[in-house]
Amino acid sequence: MRDIIERLNYHIQEVPIKVKQFSEEEFSEQLLGKWSKKETLGHLCDSATNNHHRFIKIQIEGQPFVIGPYNQNNWVIIQDYQSMQPYEIVDYWTTLNKLIAKIISKIPDEKLLYLCDIGDNKTVTLAELIEDYLRHMEHHLSQIFVTSSL
């Protein structure tokens, strides 16, 4: 988990700096059928919100913990990230991920093996769910930043 926490902390430091390098227009540009960079970062806030709760509940509720899906497109629409100021989304994302890093750092090793039912007759451990959270985040961060000149 140490590597995951280090990577989370790296992103917590770097994302606010990188976002400031975009103009409002660049950060808000919507491509046909796709989220803007702003909405993509908002989606990562929604992912953080959902996973923050999961990482706590998995440790205290029965096993396997059943993970329900959420409609990510509706979350982005209802939150209306497109109309928010970039700093509001960045601050929200940063705060959520600081909390997640703290939670992860305090999970006892034996609880990392707790099982999570992710549907379709599949189970993963809490450790694997945490790894997937970071993998998902980094995938979307690469969409935001790698496709730019940053």
Side-chain angles (χ1 to χ4, degrees), residues 2-20 41 44-45 48 52 55 87 89-105 133-134 137-138 141 145:
R2 185 184 333 236
D3 178 55
I4 289 174
I5 294 167
E6 286 176 9
R7 286 165 55 195
L8 266 175
N9 285 326
Y10 169 80
H11 293 304
I12 289 166
Q13 296 300 313
E14 291 297 312
V15 166
I17 294 166
K18 289 180 177 181
V19 167
K20 286 180 184 177
L41 188 59
L44 289 178
C45 292
H52 170 257
F55 297 162
Y87 74 88
I89 303 169
V90 170
D91 289 350
Y92 184 40
W93 179 88
T94 301
T95 299
L96 288 167
N97 280 286
K98 284 180 180 178
L99 288 169
I100 288 171
K102 182 178 178 183
I103 290 165
I104 292 170
S105 74
Y133 170 73
L134 183 63
M137 175 196 298
E138 290 178 337
L141 290 177
F145 300 118

Side-chain angles (χ1 to χ4, degrees), residues 3 16 20 25 29 44 67 82 84 86 92 105 114 134 147:
D3 178 55
K20 286 180 184 177
E25 183 178 275
E29 180 184 3
L44 289 178
I67 295 178
Q82 192 65 15
M84 293 174 69
Y92 184 40
S105 74
Y114 282 11
L134 183 63
T147 58

Side-chain angles (χ1 to χ4, degrees), residues 54-77:
R54 289 171 180 164
F55 297 162
I56 293 169
K57 288 180 174 184
I58 290 164
Q59 295 182 68
I60 58 178
E61 295 186 10
Q63 285 187 57
F65 179 81
V66 178
I67 295 178
Y70 72 97
N71 185 315
Q72 59 190 16
N73 288 323
N74 283 339
W75 276 65
V76 169
I77 291 166

Side-chain angles (χ1 to χ4, degrees), residues 85-137:
Q85 293 297 312
Y87 74 88
E88 293 174 301
I89 303 169
V90 170
D91 289 350
Y92 184 40
W93 179 88
T94 301
T95 299
L96 288 167
N97 280 286
K98 284 180 180 178
L99 288 169
I100 288 171
K102 182 178 178 183
I103 290 165
I104 292 170
S105 74
K106 297 190 179 290
I107 298 173
D109 288 343
E110 65 274 8
K111 289 187 178 184
L112 290 170
L113 300 176
Y114 282 11
L115 295 177
C116 311
D117 178 342
I118 59 171
D120 294 328
N121 294 317
K122 294 179 188 172
T123 57
V124 297
T125 64
L126 174 55
E128 291 170 321
L129 191 67
I130 292 167
E131 291 165 3
D132 187 63
Y133 170 73
L134 183 63
R135 191 171 27 257
H136 173 257
M137 175 196 298

